[in-house]
Structure formats: C-alpha cells, structure tokens
Amino acid sequence: MWSLRSQWIASVLLATACSTPATPAPTPAPVLIGALNLAVTQTTVKTTVCRSGWTATIRPPASYTNTLKRRQLPKGADLKAYEEDHLIPLALGGAPRDPVNLRPIPLDRAKKDDVVETRLHRQLCAGTITLTQAQLAISQVKAGE
C-alpha cells in the first residue's frame, strides 16, 4: 500500500507531467519531387524559363511522352483521358525527358495544376519568389494530389 507521502509525491509528479507543455513536433521540411533541369538555376531564370517561348525549345515530342504514358498506365486505360505531366513543370525548371519527372494524370487535374504552375511562373519571373521556392511549392501541390 502506498504511504501518504508516496501518494503525495506521485500526485505532484503527475500534476507536473500534465502541466508541462508538450514539445511541438518539428514541421517536416518540404520535399522536392520530380527531377530538375540543371540548365535552370536562379542565375539563369531570365535567360531560360522567363524567356518567352523557351519551354517550346525543350519540350519532348508527343511520340516520346505517349510512349512513356503507355508504359506508365495500366493496360486498357484510355490514353486520351490522360496527359503526361511534368512534376516540376518546364516553366519552373523541370527536367524535360527524365521519367522521374513525368507521370500521367487525368486531363481535368492537369488543367487545375496549370493554373498553379502559371501563377508560380509569373511570381518567379517577377522576382517575388525564388526558383527553389517555386519548385518546392509546386512539389507540395503535386504531392498532395
């Protein structure tokens, strides 16, 4: 049986443990998904991704992306219902042909992503965010899909 003193010590310890604020869990660091185009850096954004028409010069042909899409989708899937999407968009410094940076997504999802990608691209080219910030932001959007 516990003595009165032991009960008092136990109640003090319990009260102290319950009143001590818990240490908050650390916020996980954002993770970059996809693959990057090594030609695009913070110092080259004005001559690469922010130059009008630049993405057209590096975009892989449909023959490449359609072949990749066929390999990635289950047999019998409607290929026309999907777009081969860059996880890190070309306009934000994504690798054009790296399969790690490409995956098929439904067309309606691709249109929603395009809105976010365009906003981030505008902010990047206006200098209100950095290339790294833009890439991490789009990674968070696409990781949450």
Side-chain angles (χ1 to χ4, degrees):
M1 195 87 204
W2 286 33
S3 71
L4 192 54
R5 181 168 162 44
S6 297
Q7 289 176 6
W8 178 79
I9 292 171
S11 68
V12 169
L13 290 173
L14 182 60
T16 303
C18 291
S19 65
T20 303
T23 305
T27 303
V31 177
L32 186 70
I33 60 171
L36 300 176
N37 180 343
L38 299 180
V40 180
T41 65
Q42 187 61 49
T43 58
T44 66
V45 293
K46 294 296 180 191
T47 58
T48 56
V49 296
C50 295
R51 193 179 89 224
S52 180
W54 184 77
T55 59
T57 67
I58 63 163
R59 186 171 307 284
S63 59
Y64 176 80
T65 56
N66 285 338
T67 300
L68 189 57
K69 186 175 12 174
R70 274 188 216 94
R71 282 198 330 240
Q72 293 170 329
L73 285 171
K75 189 173 185 159
D78 180 8
L79 299 178
K80 292 179 182 176
Y82 292 87
E83 176 180 299
E84 195 65 15
D85 183 56
H86 288 90
L87 288 165
I88 302 292
L90 301 179
L92 298 177
R97 290 176 167 256
D98 189 332
V100 170
N101 198 42
L102 288 156
R103 52 78 200 263
I105 62 169
L107 292 175
D108 61 332
R109 181 68 215 188
K111 289 177 182 168
K112 290 176 185 173
D113 286 353
D114 287 347
V115 172
V116 177
E117 293 167 11
T118 300
R119 179 177 44 81
L120 289 169
H121 181 255
R122 285 186 182 138
Q123 291 174 328
L124 172 64
C125 294
T128 58
I129 61 172
T130 67
L131 179 62
T132 300
Q133 289 170 326
Q135 291 167 340
L136 287 171
I138 199 65
S139 289
Q140 288 180 313
V141 168
K142 294 198 177 188
E145 294 178 349

Short mmCIF file of all heavy atoms in Angstrom, two decimals, residues 22-86:
data_model
loop_
_atom_site.label_atom_id
_atom_site.label_comp_id
_atom_site.label_asym_id
_atom_site.label_seq_id
_atom_site.Cartn_x
_atom_site.Cartn_y
_atom_site.Cartn_z
N ALA A 22 3.77 20.16 -23.96
CA ALA A 22 4.43 19.19 -24.83
C ALA A 22 5.30 19.94 -25.83
O ALA A 22 4.94 21.01 -26.31
CB ALA A 22 3.39 18.35 -25.55
N THR A 23 6.41 19.35 -26.17
CA THR A 23 7.28 19.92 -27.20
C THR A 23 6.59 19.67 -28.54
O THR A 23 6.25 18.53 -28.86
CB THR A 23 8.66 19.24 -27.18
OG1 THR A 23 9.18 19.36 -25.87
CG2 THR A 23 9.59 19.86 -28.19
N PRO A 24 6.37 20.73 -29.31
CA PRO A 24 5.70 20.52 -30.60
C PRO A 24 6.57 19.69 -31.53
O PRO A 24 7.80 19.78 -31.50
CB PRO A 24 5.50 21.93 -31.15
CG PRO A 24 6.45 22.80 -30.39
CD PRO A 24 6.72 22.12 -29.09
N ALA A 25 5.91 18.87 -32.32
CA ALA A 25 6.63 18.07 -33.31
C ALA A 25 7.22 19.01 -34.35
O ALA A 25 6.59 20.00 -34.72
CB ALA A 25 5.68 17.09 -33.97
N PRO A 26 8.43 18.72 -34.79
CA PRO A 26 9.02 19.59 -35.80
C PRO A 26 8.22 19.55 -37.10
O PRO A 26 7.67 18.52 -37.46
CB PRO A 26 10.43 19.01 -36.01
CG PRO A 26 10.39 17.65 -35.43
CD PRO A 26 9.27 17.60 -34.43
N THR A 27 8.13 20.69 -37.75
CA THR A 27 7.45 20.76 -39.04
C THR A 27 8.34 20.10 -40.08
O THR A 27 9.52 20.44 -40.19
CB THR A 27 7.21 22.24 -39.44
OG1 THR A 27 6.47 22.84 -38.38
CG2 THR A 27 6.46 22.34 -40.74
N PRO A 28 7.79 19.14 -40.82
CA PRO A 28 8.64 18.48 -41.81
C PRO A 28 9.08 19.48 -42.90
O PRO A 28 8.31 20.34 -43.30
CB PRO A 28 7.75 17.38 -42.39
CG PRO A 28 6.37 17.71 -41.97
CD PRO A 28 6.44 18.65 -40.81
N ALA A 29 10.30 19.33 -43.33
CA ALA A 29 10.82 20.20 -44.39
C ALA A 29 10.15 19.82 -45.70
O ALA A 29 9.88 18.65 -45.95
CB ALA A 29 12.33 20.02 -44.51
N PRO A 30 9.83 20.81 -46.53
CA PRO A 30 9.23 20.50 -47.83
C PRO A 30 10.19 19.62 -48.64
O PRO A 30 11.41 19.76 -48.55
CB PRO A 30 9.06 21.85 -48.50
CG PRO A 30 9.29 22.87 -47.45
CD PRO A 30 10.03 22.24 -46.34
N VAL A 31 9.61 18.72 -49.40
CA VAL A 31 10.40 17.79 -50.20
C VAL A 31 10.16 18.07 -51.68
O VAL A 31 9.03 18.23 -52.11
CB VAL A 31 10.01 16.34 -49.87
CG1 VAL A 31 10.76 15.35 -50.75
CG2 VAL A 31 10.27 16.04 -48.40
N LEU A 32 11.23 18.12 -52.42
CA LEU A 32 11.15 18.33 -53.87
C LEU A 32 10.85 17.00 -54.53
O LEU A 32 11.53 16.00 -54.26
CB LEU A 32 12.47 18.90 -54.38
CG LEU A 32 12.50 19.32 -55.84
CD1 LEU A 32 11.63 20.56 -56.03
CD2 LEU A 32 13.93 19.62 -56.25
N ILE A 33 9.82 16.97 -55.36
CA ILE A 33 9.52 15.75 -56.11
C ILE A 33 9.82 16.03 -57.57
O ILE A 33 9.81 17.17 -58.02
CB ILE A 33 8.06 15.29 -55.93
CG1 ILE A 33 7.08 16.36 -56.40
CG2 ILE A 33 7.78 14.91 -54.49
CD1 ILE A 33 5.64 15.89 -56.46
N GLY A 34 10.08 14.98 -58.33
CA GLY A 34 10.39 15.15 -59.74
C GLY A 34 11.89 15.25 -59.97
O GLY A 34 12.69 14.81 -59.15
N ALA A 35 12.25 15.82 -61.09
CA ALA A 35 13.67 15.97 -61.45
C ALA A 35 13.86 17.34 -62.08
O ALA A 35 12.97 17.88 -62.74
CB ALA A 35 14.08 14.87 -62.44
N LEU A 36 15.05 17.89 -61.88
CA LEU A 36 15.35 19.25 -62.31
C LEU A 36 16.17 19.29 -63.60
O LEU A 36 16.96 18.39 -63.88
CB LEU A 36 16.10 20.00 -61.21
CG LEU A 36 15.37 20.13 -59.88
CD1 LEU A 36 16.26 20.80 -58.86
CD2 LEU A 36 14.08 20.89 -60.05
N ASN A 37 15.98 20.37 -64.33
CA ASN A 37 16.79 20.69 -65.49
C ASN A 37 18.00 21.47 -64.97
O ASN A 37 17.85 22.58 -64.46
CB ASN A 37 15.97 21.54 -66.46
CG ASN A 37 16.73 21.92 -67.70
OD1 ASN A 37 17.96 21.85 -67.76
ND2 ASN A 37 16.00 22.35 -68.72
N LEU A 38 19.18 20.89 -65.07
CA LEU A 38 20.37 21.51 -64.49
C LEU A 38 20.77 22.82 -65.19
O LEU A 38 21.56 23.58 -64.64
CB LEU A 38 21.53 20.51 -64.49
CG LEU A 38 21.27 19.24 -63.67
CD1 LEU A 38 22.47 18.30 -63.73
CD2 LEU A 38 20.91 19.57 -62.23
N ALA A 39 20.21 23.09 -66.36
CA ALA A 39 20.49 24.35 -67.05
C ALA A 39 19.74 25.52 -66.43
O ALA A 39 20.04 26.68 -66.69
CB ALA A 39 20.13 24.24 -68.53
N VAL A 40 18.74 25.21 -65.61
CA VAL A 40 17.93 26.26 -64.98
C VAL A 40 18.38 26.44 -63.53
O VAL A 40 18.26 25.53 -62.72
CB VAL A 40 16.43 25.92 -65.04
CG1 VAL A 40 15.61 27.03 -64.39
CG2 VAL A 40 15.98 25.68 -66.47
N THR A 41 18.91 27.62 -63.25
CA THR A 41 19.32 27.97 -61.90
C THR A 41 18.76 29.35 -61.60
O THR A 41 18.23 30.03 -62.49
CB THR A 41 20.86 28.02 -61.77
OG1 THR A 41 21.36 29.08 -62.60
CG2 THR A 41 21.50 26.69 -62.17
N GLN A 42 18.91 29.78 -60.36
CA GLN A 42 18.43 31.12 -60.01
C GLN A 42 19.10 32.19 -60.88
O GLN A 42 18.47 33.16 -61.27
CB GLN A 42 18.68 31.40 -58.52
CG GLN A 42 18.05 32.69 -58.03
CD GLN A 42 16.53 32.70 -58.17
OE1 GLN A 42 15.85 31.77 -57.77
NE2 GLN A 42 15.98 33.77 -58.75
N THR A 43 20.36 31.98 -61.22
CA THR A 43 21.06 32.99 -62.04
C THR A 43 20.69 32.92 -63.52
O THR A 43 20.93 33.89 -64.23
CB THR A 43 22.60 32.86 -61.88
OG1 THR A 43 23.00 31.55 -62.26
CG2 THR A 43 23.03 33.16 -60.47
N THR A 44 20.09 31.81 -63.97
CA THR A 44 19.74 31.71 -65.39
C THR A 44 18.25 31.85 -65.68
O THR A 44 17.84 31.72 -66.84
CB THR A 44 20.23 30.36 -65.99
OG1 THR A 44 19.49 29.28 -65.38
CG2 THR A 44 21.72 30.17 -65.83
N VAL A 45 17.42 32.10 -64.66
CA VAL A 45 15.97 32.13 -64.91
C VAL A 45 15.57 33.14 -65.98
O VAL A 45 14.67 32.88 -66.77
CB VAL A 45 15.12 32.33 -63.63
CG1 VAL A 45 15.21 31.14 -62.71
CG2 VAL A 45 15.42 33.61 -62.93
N LYS A 46 16.23 34.29 -66.04
CA LYS A 46 15.84 35.32 -67.02
C LYS A 46 16.14 34.89 -68.46
O LYS A 46 15.45 35.30 -69.39
CB LYS A 46 16.54 36.64 -66.72
CG LYS A 46 16.09 37.28 -65.40
CD LYS A 46 14.63 37.66 -65.41
CE LYS A 46 14.22 38.29 -64.10
NZ LYS A 46 12.80 38.44 -63.95
N THR A 47 17.16 34.04 -68.63
CA THR A 47 17.53 33.60 -69.99
C THR A 47 16.97 32.23 -70.32
O THR A 47 17.14 31.75 -71.45
CB THR A 47 19.06 33.58 -70.15
OG1 THR A 47 19.63 32.71 -69.17
CG2 THR A 47 19.64 34.98 -70.02
N THR A 48 16.32 31.59 -69.35
CA THR A 48 15.73 30.27 -69.61
C THR A 48 14.22 30.36 -69.39
O THR A 48 13.51 30.81 -70.28
CB THR A 48 16.37 29.19 -68.70
OG1 THR A 48 16.25 29.58 -67.33
CG2 THR A 48 17.83 28.97 -69.06
N VAL A 49 13.74 29.97 -68.24
CA VAL A 49 12.30 29.83 -68.01
C VAL A 49 11.51 31.13 -68.16
O VAL A 49 10.32 31.09 -68.47
CB VAL A 49 11.99 29.18 -66.64
CG1 VAL A 49 12.52 27.76 -66.60
CG2 VAL A 49 12.52 30.00 -65.49
N CYS A 50 12.14 32.27 -67.96
CA CYS A 50 11.43 33.55 -68.08
C CYS A 50 11.55 34.16 -69.48
O CYS A 50 11.00 35.24 -69.72
CB CYS A 50 11.93 34.53 -67.01
SG CYS A 50 11.52 33.98 -65.33
N ARG A 51 12.21 33.49 -70.37
CA ARG A 51 12.31 33.96 -71.76
C ARG A 51 11.13 33.38 -72.54
O ARG A 51 10.89 32.17 -72.52
CB ARG A 51 13.64 33.50 -72.37
CG ARG A 51 13.93 34.22 -73.68
CD ARG A 51 15.24 33.79 -74.28
NE ARG A 51 14.94 32.65 -75.14
CZ ARG A 51 15.66 31.54 -75.22
NH1 ARG A 51 16.72 31.38 -74.47
NH2 ARG A 51 15.30 30.57 -76.01
N SER A 52 10.39 34.25 -73.19
CA SER A 52 9.21 33.83 -73.93
C SER A 52 9.55 32.74 -74.95
O SER A 52 10.51 32.86 -75.71
CB SER A 52 8.61 35.05 -74.66
OG SER A 52 7.46 34.66 -75.37
N GLY A 53 8.78 31.66 -74.93
CA GLY A 53 8.95 30.57 -75.89
C GLY A 53 10.01 29.55 -75.51
O GLY A 53 10.21 28.57 -76.24
N TRP A 54 10.66 29.74 -74.38
CA TRP A 54 11.77 28.84 -74.01
C TRP A 54 11.32 27.40 -73.82
O TRP A 54 11.99 26.48 -74.29
CB TRP A 54 12.47 29.35 -72.76
CG TRP A 54 13.67 28.52 -72.41
CD1 TRP A 54 14.89 28.56 -73.00
CD2 TRP A 54 13.75 27.52 -71.40
NE1 TRP A 54 15.74 27.65 -72.41
CE2 TRP A 54 15.05 26.99 -71.42
CE3 TRP A 54 12.85 27.01 -70.47
CZ2 TRP A 54 15.48 25.99 -70.56
CZ3 TRP A 54 13.28 26.02 -69.60
CH2 TRP A 54 14.58 25.51 -69.67
N THR A 55 10.18 27.18 -73.17
CA THR A 55 9.76 25.79 -72.91
C THR A 55 9.51 25.02 -74.20
O THR A 55 9.73 23.81 -74.25
CB THR A 55 8.52 25.72 -71.99
OG1 THR A 55 7.44 26.41 -72.61
CG2 THR A 55 8.82 26.28 -70.62
N ALA A 56 9.08 25.70 -75.24
CA ALA A 56 8.85 25.03 -76.53
C ALA A 56 10.15 24.47 -77.10
O ALA A 56 10.13 23.48 -77.83
CB ALA A 56 8.21 25.99 -77.52
N THR A 57 11.26 25.08 -76.74
CA THR A 57 12.56 24.61 -77.27
C THR A 57 13.04 23.34 -76.57
O THR A 57 13.92 22.66 -77.10
CB THR A 57 13.65 25.69 -77.14
OG1 THR A 57 13.93 25.91 -75.74
CG2 THR A 57 13.24 26.99 -77.80
N ILE A 58 12.48 23.03 -75.40
CA ILE A 58 12.95 21.84 -74.67
C ILE A 58 11.86 20.79 -74.45
O ILE A 58 12.16 19.70 -73.97
CB ILE A 58 13.55 22.24 -73.29
CG1 ILE A 58 12.49 22.89 -72.41
CG2 ILE A 58 14.77 23.12 -73.45
CD1 ILE A 58 12.87 22.93 -70.94
N ARG A 59 10.63 21.11 -74.80
CA ARG A 59 9.52 20.17 -74.56
C ARG A 59 9.73 18.91 -75.38
O ARG A 59 10.00 18.96 -76.58
CB ARG A 59 8.19 20.82 -74.95
CG ARG A 59 6.98 19.98 -74.62
CD ARG A 59 5.68 20.74 -74.83
NE ARG A 59 5.64 22.01 -74.12
CZ ARG A 59 5.46 22.15 -72.81
NH1 ARG A 59 5.30 21.09 -72.06
NH2 ARG A 59 5.43 23.34 -72.25
N PRO A 60 9.60 17.73 -74.76
CA PRO A 60 9.78 16.49 -75.51
C PRO A 60 8.62 16.30 -76.50
O PRO A 60 7.51 16.75 -76.25
CB PRO A 60 9.77 15.40 -74.44
CG PRO A 60 9.17 16.01 -73.23
CD PRO A 60 9.36 17.49 -73.34
N PRO A 61 8.90 15.63 -77.62
CA PRO A 61 7.83 15.41 -78.60
C PRO A 61 6.75 14.47 -78.06
O PRO A 61 7.00 13.66 -77.16
CB PRO A 61 8.56 14.79 -79.79
CG PRO A 61 9.79 14.18 -79.21
CD PRO A 61 10.16 15.02 -78.02
N ALA A 62 5.56 14.57 -78.64
CA ALA A 62 4.44 13.72 -78.23
C ALA A 62 4.78 12.24 -78.40
O ALA A 62 4.32 11.41 -77.59
CB ALA A 62 3.19 14.08 -79.03
N SER A 63 5.59 11.90 -79.38
CA SER A 63 5.95 10.49 -79.57
C SER A 63 6.68 9.95 -78.33
O SER A 63 6.46 8.81 -77.92
CB SER A 63 6.82 10.32 -80.81
OG SER A 63 8.01 11.09 -80.70
N TYR A 64 7.50 10.78 -77.71
CA TYR A 64 8.21 10.37 -76.50
C TYR A 64 7.25 10.25 -75.31
O TYR A 64 7.23 9.24 -74.61
CB TYR A 64 9.32 11.37 -76.17
CG TYR A 64 10.03 11.05 -74.87
CD1 TYR A 64 11.02 10.08 -74.82
CD2 TYR A 64 9.68 11.71 -73.70
CE1 TYR A 64 11.65 9.77 -73.63
CE2 TYR A 64 10.31 11.41 -72.49
CZ TYR A 64 11.30 10.44 -72.47
OH TYR A 64 11.91 10.13 -71.28
N THR A 65 6.44 11.28 -75.10
CA THR A 65 5.55 11.28 -73.94
C THR A 65 4.43 10.24 -74.08
O THR A 65 4.02 9.63 -73.09
CB THR A 65 4.95 12.67 -73.66
OG1 THR A 65 4.28 13.15 -74.83
CG2 THR A 65 6.05 13.65 -73.25
N ASN A 66 3.94 10.01 -75.30
CA ASN A 66 2.90 8.99 -75.49
C ASN A 66 3.44 7.59 -75.23
O ASN A 66 2.75 6.75 -74.65
CB ASN A 66 2.30 9.08 -76.89
CG ASN A 66 1.36 10.26 -77.03
OD1 ASN A 66 0.84 10.78 -76.04
ND2 ASN A 66 1.16 10.70 -78.26
N THR A 67 4.67 7.33 -75.64
CA THR A 67 5.29 6.02 -75.37
C THR A 67 5.44 5.82 -73.87
O THR A 67 5.14 4.75 -73.34
CB THR A 67 6.66 5.93 -76.08
OG1 THR A 67 6.46 6.07 -77.48
CG2 THR A 67 7.35 4.62 -75.78
N LEU A 68 5.89 6.86 -73.19
CA LEU A 68 6.05 6.79 -71.74
C LEU A 68 4.70 6.59 -71.05
O LEU A 68 4.56 5.78 -70.13
CB LEU A 68 6.73 8.07 -71.25
CG LEU A 68 7.20 8.11 -69.81
CD1 LEU A 68 8.17 6.98 -69.50
CD2 LEU A 68 7.85 9.45 -69.52
N LYS A 69 3.69 7.31 -71.52
CA LYS A 69 2.34 7.21 -70.95
C LYS A 69 1.81 5.78 -71.08
O LYS A 69 1.23 5.23 -70.14
CB LYS A 69 1.41 8.20 -71.64
CG LYS A 69 0.05 8.28 -71.04
CD LYS A 69 -0.91 9.33 -71.61
CE LYS A 69 -0.59 10.02 -72.86
NZ LYS A 69 -1.69 10.89 -73.34
N ARG A 70 2.04 5.16 -72.23
CA ARG A 70 1.59 3.77 -72.44
C ARG A 70 2.24 2.82 -71.44
O ARG A 70 1.61 1.89 -70.96
CB ARG A 70 1.91 3.31 -73.87
CG ARG A 70 0.87 3.68 -74.87
CD ARG A 70 1.14 3.04 -76.23
NE ARG A 70 0.74 3.96 -77.26
CZ ARG A 70 1.52 4.84 -77.87
NH1 ARG A 70 2.80 4.90 -77.59
NH2 ARG A 70 1.05 5.66 -78.77
N ARG A 71 3.52 3.05 -71.14
CA ARG A 71 4.23 2.20 -70.18
C ARG A 71 3.74 2.43 -68.75
O ARG A 71 3.73 1.52 -67.94
CB ARG A 71 5.74 2.47 -70.24
CG ARG A 71 6.43 1.82 -71.40
CD ARG A 71 7.94 1.73 -71.22
NE ARG A 71 8.53 2.77 -70.43
CZ ARG A 71 9.46 3.62 -70.85
NH1 ARG A 71 9.89 3.55 -72.08
NH2 ARG A 71 9.96 4.53 -70.05
N GLN A 72 3.37 3.67 -68.43
CA GLN A 72 3.02 4.03 -67.05
C GLN A 72 1.57 3.70 -66.69
O GLN A 72 1.29 3.44 -65.53
CB GLN A 72 3.29 5.52 -66.82
CG GLN A 72 4.76 5.86 -66.87
CD GLN A 72 4.99 7.36 -66.87
OE1 GLN A 72 4.17 8.13 -67.37
NE2 GLN A 72 6.12 7.78 -66.32
N LEU A 73 0.68 3.75 -67.66
CA LEU A 73 -0.74 3.48 -67.37
C LEU A 73 -1.03 1.99 -67.45
O LEU A 73 -0.35 1.25 -68.17
CB LEU A 73 -1.63 4.23 -68.37
CG LEU A 73 -1.76 5.73 -68.15
CD1 LEU A 73 -2.47 6.39 -69.33
CD2 LEU A 73 -2.50 6.03 -66.85
N PRO A 74 -2.06 1.54 -66.73
CA PRO A 74 -2.43 0.13 -66.82
C PRO A 74 -2.92 -0.21 -68.22
O PRO A 74 -3.48 0.64 -68.93
CB PRO A 74 -3.56 -0.02 -65.80
CG PRO A 74 -3.75 1.30 -65.15
CD PRO A 74 -2.88 2.30 -65.81
N LYS A 75 -2.73 -1.45 -68.60
CA LYS A 75 -3.18 -1.92 -69.92
C LYS A 75 -4.68 -1.69 -70.05
O LYS A 75 -5.44 -1.94 -69.12
CB LYS A 75 -2.86 -3.40 -70.08
CG LYS A 75 -3.08 -3.92 -71.47
CD LYS A 75 -2.59 -5.32 -71.62
CE LYS A 75 -2.75 -5.72 -73.07
NZ LYS A 75 -1.89 -6.82 -73.41
N GLY A 76 -5.09 -1.15 -71.18
CA GLY A 76 -6.50 -0.89 -71.44
C GLY A 76 -6.98 0.49 -71.01
O GLY A 76 -8.13 0.85 -71.26
N ALA A 77 -6.11 1.29 -70.37
CA ALA A 77 -6.50 2.64 -69.95
C ALA A 77 -6.72 3.51 -71.18
O ALA A 77 -6.06 3.34 -72.21
CB ALA A 77 -5.43 3.25 -69.06
N ASP A 78 -7.65 4.45 -71.06
CA ASP A 78 -7.93 5.40 -72.15
C ASP A 78 -6.82 6.46 -72.18
O ASP A 78 -6.83 7.39 -71.38
CB ASP A 78 -9.29 6.04 -71.94
CG ASP A 78 -9.66 7.04 -73.02
OD1 ASP A 78 -8.94 7.14 -74.04
OD2 ASP A 78 -10.68 7.73 -72.85
N LEU A 79 -5.88 6.31 -73.09
CA LEU A 79 -4.73 7.22 -73.15
C LEU A 79 -5.14 8.67 -73.38
O LEU A 79 -4.49 9.59 -72.90
CB LEU A 79 -3.76 6.77 -74.25
CG LEU A 79 -3.14 5.38 -74.09
CD1 LEU A 79 -2.24 5.06 -75.28
CD2 LEU A 79 -2.40 5.27 -72.80
N LYS A 80 -6.24 8.88 -74.10
CA LYS A 80 -6.69 10.25 -74.40
C LYS A 80 -7.25 10.96 -73.17
O LYS A 80 -7.40 12.17 -73.18
CB LYS A 80 -7.73 10.23 -75.51
CG LYS A 80 -7.13 9.81 -76.85
CD LYS A 80 -8.17 9.77 -77.93
CE LYS A 80 -7.53 9.30 -79.22
NZ LYS A 80 -8.48 9.14 -80.29
N ALA A 81 -7.54 10.23 -72.12
CA ALA A 81 -8.08 10.83 -70.89
C ALA A 81 -6.98 11.32 -69.97
O ALA A 81 -7.26 11.89 -68.92
CB ALA A 81 -8.96 9.81 -70.16
N TYR A 82 -5.71 11.12 -70.38
CA TYR A 82 -4.58 11.49 -69.54
C TYR A 82 -3.59 12.37 -70.30
O TYR A 82 -3.49 12.30 -71.52
CB TYR A 82 -3.82 10.23 -69.08
CG TYR A 82 -4.62 9.38 -68.14
CD1 TYR A 82 -5.49 8.42 -68.62
CD2 TYR A 82 -4.51 9.55 -66.76
CE1 TYR A 82 -6.24 7.63 -67.74
CE2 TYR A 82 -5.25 8.77 -65.89
CZ TYR A 82 -6.10 7.82 -66.39
OH TYR A 82 -6.84 7.06 -65.52
N GLU A 83 -2.89 13.16 -69.51
CA GLU A 83 -1.80 13.98 -70.05
C GLU A 83 -0.53 13.56 -69.33
O GLU A 83 -0.54 13.33 -68.12
CB GLU A 83 -2.08 15.46 -69.77
CG GLU A 83 -0.95 16.37 -70.19
CD GLU A 83 -1.28 17.82 -69.89
OE1 GLU A 83 -2.28 18.33 -70.42
OE2 GLU A 83 -0.53 18.44 -69.10
N GLU A 84 0.55 13.44 -70.06
CA GLU A 84 1.84 13.16 -69.43
C GLU A 84 2.33 14.48 -68.85
O GLU A 84 2.61 15.43 -69.57
CB GLU A 84 2.82 12.61 -70.47
CG GLU A 84 4.03 11.95 -69.90
CD GLU A 84 3.77 10.68 -69.11
OE1 GLU A 84 2.68 10.08 -69.20
OE2 GLU A 84 4.69 10.28 -68.39
N ASP A 85 2.36 14.55 -67.53
CA ASP A 85 2.60 15.79 -66.81
C ASP A 85 3.99 15.81 -66.20
O ASP A 85 4.46 14.80 -65.67
CB ASP A 85 1.55 15.92 -65.70
CG ASP A 85 1.64 17.21 -64.93
OD1 ASP A 85 1.59 18.28 -65.56
OD2 ASP A 85 1.74 17.15 -63.69
N HIS A 86 4.63 16.98 -66.25
CA HIS A 86 5.91 17.17 -65.57
C HIS A 86 5.64 17.51 -64.11
O HIS A 86 4.92 18.46 -63.83
CB HIS A 86 6.71 18.31 -66.22
CG HIS A 86 7.25 17.96 -67.56
ND1 HIS A 86 6.55 18.17 -68.72
CD2 HIS A 86 8.43 17.39 -67.92
CE1 HIS A 86 7.28 17.76 -69.75
NE2 HIS A 86 8.42 17.27 -69.29
#
